Amino acid sequence: ILLVVSGGCVCCGFLLNQHYNPAFVSLQMMKHAWDNYKRYAWGLNELKPISKQGHSSNLFGNIQGATIVDALDTLYIMEMKEEFKEAKEWVEKNLDFNVNAEISVFEVNIRFVGGLLSAYYLSGEEVFRKKAVELGEKLLPAFNTPTGIPWALLNIKSGIGRNWPWASGGSSILAEFGTLHLEFVHLSHLSGNPVFAEKVMNIRKVLSRLDKPEGLYPNYLNPSSGQWGQHHVSIGGLGDSFYEYLLKAWLMSDKTDEDGKKMYYDAVQAIETHLIRKSSGGLTYIAEWKGGLLEHKMGHLTCFAGGMFALGADGAPSDKTGHHIELGAEIAKTCHESYDRTRMKLGPEAFRFDGGVEAIATRQNEKYYILRPEVIETYMYMWRLTHDPKYREWGWEAVEALEKHCRVDGGYSGIRDVYNNHESHDDVQQSFFLSETLKYLYLLFSEDDLLPFEHWVFNTEAHPLPVLHKDDGNKEENQK
Ligand code: DMJ
């Protein structure tokens, strides 16, 4: 497809041509992000694009190479063959899990296990399957709790786990233990070892037995007592991908996982009743719920829900299909407004609907943008499911803003205040910029038969996993 440049100054050369192919532009962005990572931070977790050196995050302990593993499938999909080859060689020679490291089980699962699984399914290269299973085995001690609800943090050498010290009443976090399902089902499928799937099915069982306040799932659950912590509910941070994985577990099971399906549609019903509101200006938003009281704030993270509602429309009762698509469209519009109402046309971390504002961040510590994908993710789902051209136009607006404000010589950086006239860069190129933001942009501007939804489900870090059909069997059976 070709778009015509809307005018205005855009800093990078290929945007200056009068006609351009947006998928090609996304690929060039990936090349800039990757080349700079390779040049300044190769083998380290992430890149600091201003100071041009490596960035390490304590989420991965001293496991290294987060950007490489997170980017593998994007490189493959964009047909960046040389880069994929060098990434694969790095994985073969250097990706090492025999380290004394305390890691976030959730982050390592979605980025490393998810990245390796997708790389395996796309390329068929055995090394990725082996590494994914090896890492999955390292994560298993996290489930050694009285309920089997895993710890948030795990030392992968000693096998000792614990929870975040800030979490209510020593609880595990819903979005963390609820976002293992897709990867662990695939680990069992590929290893022939049922233990992975058993662990995540047990999480389901524990959750379905519990009483839910107003049908909602609080963000905190104590892994020892099996009781909820504070009754805080969010479809953004701390809750988000739990809901996403209920729907996607059903889709990934070729629509046979009826429990996942029921839990998803019941949860959406409760979310609609208790959390979704319309502003006086007509913007639909998803508030946060604290023990029955609403905080009229929506996180950037929550914007993924537009895509989720639209993706789930198909399985909703037939009289509700259109309604779920409409809900997705309304959330997409609100999130687009949150971008459009800033000076840089990039969305803040959180925006509010109170004190006379709508879709605007009012607190200084909520005005940053860290290259997050959720809004573009929702545009991609909405485009595929409706083909309304406005989603591609909105995606292009995001490309222009990223190029203008986030692109620097040494890669792409987050921004400290999107309402400011001048960029103050945070100096981090997040690994999810390569795995998610750029991949979703590329898919938004590509044909629908690239990773079609009938065959692929994206994990929460945008790593595609194939739908498992009943007659697929597991790896072991296939080898017999
Ligand atoms: C990613 O790691 C995943 O999308 C996760 O579900 C939420 N946060 C980041 C991106 O914003």
Side-chain angles (χ1 to χ4, degrees):
I1 56 156
L2 291 177
L3 289 181
V4 180
V5 173
S6 54
C9 154
V10 265
C11 44
C12 90
F14 50 80
L15 291 187
L16 291 176
N17 300 327
Q18 218 203 339
H19 290 89
Y20 47 81
N21 177 330
F24 175 74
V25 172
S26 325
L27 190 154
Q28 291 302 314
M29 294 170 76
M30 180 69 181
K31 215 172 150 29
H32 184 66
W34 177 261
D35 286 349
N36 280 291
Y37 166 75
K38 187 177 153 192
R39 191 146 163 221
Y40 300 116
W42 185 245
L44 302 174
N45 278 326
E46 288 172 319
L47 165 69
K48 285 164 90 70
I50 304 285
S51 42
K52 300 185 174 168
Q53 57 183 357
H55 174 250
S56 54
S57 148
N58 54 7
L59 298 173
F60 317 118
N62 51 358
I63 297 182
Q64 295 298 330
T67 293
I68 298 180
V69 179
D70 235 2
L72 279 164
D73 53 6
T74 309
L75 296 172
Y76 191 90
I77 293 159
M78 293 184 178
E79 299 185 52
M80 294 171 64
K81 296 195 174 140
E82 261 314 297
E83 290 86 349
F84 181 79
K85 192 167 153 255
E86 62 202 6
K88 183 192 131 199
E89 282 166 10
W90 185 90
V91 169
E92 265 162 353
K93 292 195 196 119
N94 301 293
L95 185 59
D96 184 11
F97 305 128
N98 294 310
V99 287
N100 185 1
E102 188 182 58
I103 51 102
S104 153
V105 175
F106 161 77
E107 294 289 352
V108 165
N109 176 60
I110 64 170
R111 303 194 203 205
F112 283 85
V113 178
L116 290 165
L117 287 172
S118 286
Y120 171 68
Y121 281 115
L122 290 168
S123 71
E125 297 280 359
E126 179 64 11
V127 58
F128 300 127
R129 187 188 74 83
K130 267 179 52 195
K131 292 275 182 194
V133 175
E134 185 193 332
L135 180 54
E137 283 165 357
K138 292 267 180 202
L139 298 182
L140 287 174
F143 295 83
N144 295 338
T145 64
T147 54
I149 294 291
W151 300 113
L153 299 165
L154 177 73
N155 182 305
I156 55 171
K157 183 154 190 253
S158 66
I160 295 175
R162 64 180 177 115
N163 275 337
W164 297 106
W166 49 261
S168 154
S171 293
S172 302
I173 305 293
L174 183 69
E176 298 200 322
F177 64 77
T179 309
L180 303 168
H181 199 100
L182 306 183
E183 296 80 2
F184 274 54
V185 165
H186 269 286
L187 286 175
S188 279
H189 177 74
L190 288 180
S191 65
N193 183 350
V195 69
F196 303 104
E198 285 164 9
K199 297 291 182 199
V200 289
M201 289 316 292
N202 176 61
I203 297 177
R204 276 272 186 85
K205 224 187 281 158
V206 172
L207 285 174
S208 52
R209 279 199 210 117
L210 276 167
D211 276 342
K212 284 134 213 117
E214 310 286 359
L216 297 164
Y217 290 82
N219 293 335
Y220 301 103
L221 180 63
N222 187 299
S224 303
S225 65
Q227 299 301 313
W228 299 117
Q230 277 170 325
H231 282 193
H232 287 185
V233 177
S234 162
I235 314 307
L238 308 185
D240 49 7
S241 40
F242 160 69
Y243 304 95
E244 175 185 356
Y245 271 37
L246 292 176
L247 171 65
K248 290 181 176 175
W250 173 62
L251 293 172
M252 200 182 82
S253 70
D254 202 13
K255 304 189 177 173
T256 59
D257 179 355
E258 291 295 331
D259 292 338
K261 178 181 184 187
K262 180 167 174 11
M263 285 169 78
Y264 172 73
Y265 290 102
D266 287 352
V268 172
Q269 184 64 55
I271 290 166
E272 275 214 70
T273 310
H274 299 287
L275 272 65
I276 297 191
R277 295 289 178 269
K278 208 175 233 174
S279 70
S280 48
L283 296 178
T284 301
Y285 63 96
I286 312 177
E288 310 223 330
W289 191 87
K290 298 196 165 159
L293 295 177
L294 284 187
E295 188 177 7
H296 298 270
K297 157 186 154 186
M298 186 163 166
H300 192 288
L301 290 164
T302 320
C303 287
F304 89 97
M308 177 179 76
F309 292 141
L311 182 66
D314 216 21
S318 52
D319 58 323
K320 288 264 176 80
T321 308
H323 173 67
H324 282 232
I325 292 270
E326 188 44 39
L327 202 50
E330 288 176 18
I331 298 298
K333 178 173 176 222
T334 299
C335 292
H336 175 255
E337 286 300 316
S338 80
Y339 274 49
D340 206 43
R341 295 176 186 197
T342 71
R343 209 174 284 268
M344 295 192 186
K345 307 288 175 201
L346 290 167
E349 181 66 4
F351 43 94
R352 297 194 175 252
F353 296 85
D354 55 20
V357 302
E358 298 203 352
I360 288 180
T362 51
R363 306 190 181 182
Q364 194 53 40
N365 65 359
E366 293 173 346
K367 294 183 177 173
Y368 63 89
Y369 171 68
I370 55 167
L371 305 174
R372 287 198 190 279
E374 292 75 17
V375 176
I376 293 167
E377 172 181 353
T378 278
Y379 297 162
M380 192 278 293
Y381 280 103
M382 293 309 304
W383 162 255
R384 282 244 180 136
L385 297 163
T386 67
H387 288 145
D388 183 330
K390 75 172 174 238
Y391 297 112
R392 279 184 163 172
E393 284 157 24
W394 291 352
W396 185 254
E397 288 171 14
V399 167
E400 287 187 313
L402 285 164
E403 289 302 293
K404 191 165 176 190
H405 302 293
C406 300
R407 186 185 177 108
V408 293
D409 271 359
Y412 288 87
S413 168
I415 297 280
R416 292 213 173 86
D417 181 350
V418 289
Y419 297 92
N420 218 317
N421 277 330
H422 303 290
E423 296 95 10
S424 169
H425 291 118
D426 70 2
D427 199 15
V428 183
Q429 178 174 284
Q430 305 280 345
S431 77
F432 54 68
F433 183 64
L434 292 88
S435 70
E436 295 197 69
T437 313
L438 295 177
K439 186 188 288 128
Y440 284 135
L441 275 175
Y442 187 74
L443 292 174
L444 170 66
F445 296 121
S446 297
E447 298 300 322
D448 296 356
D449 59 1
L450 180 59
L451 300 173
F453 291 170
E454 308 92 85
H455 300 307
W456 296 91
V457 165
F458 293 86
N459 92 338
T460 196
E461 187 80 359
H463 296 305
L465 299 171
V467 170
L468 291 171
H469 301 280
K470 255 222 178 91
D471 50 5
D472 283 349
N474 63 30
K475 173 92 181 168
E476 228 178 28
E477 279 160 10
N478 288 340
Q479 284 169 345
K480 275 180 199 160

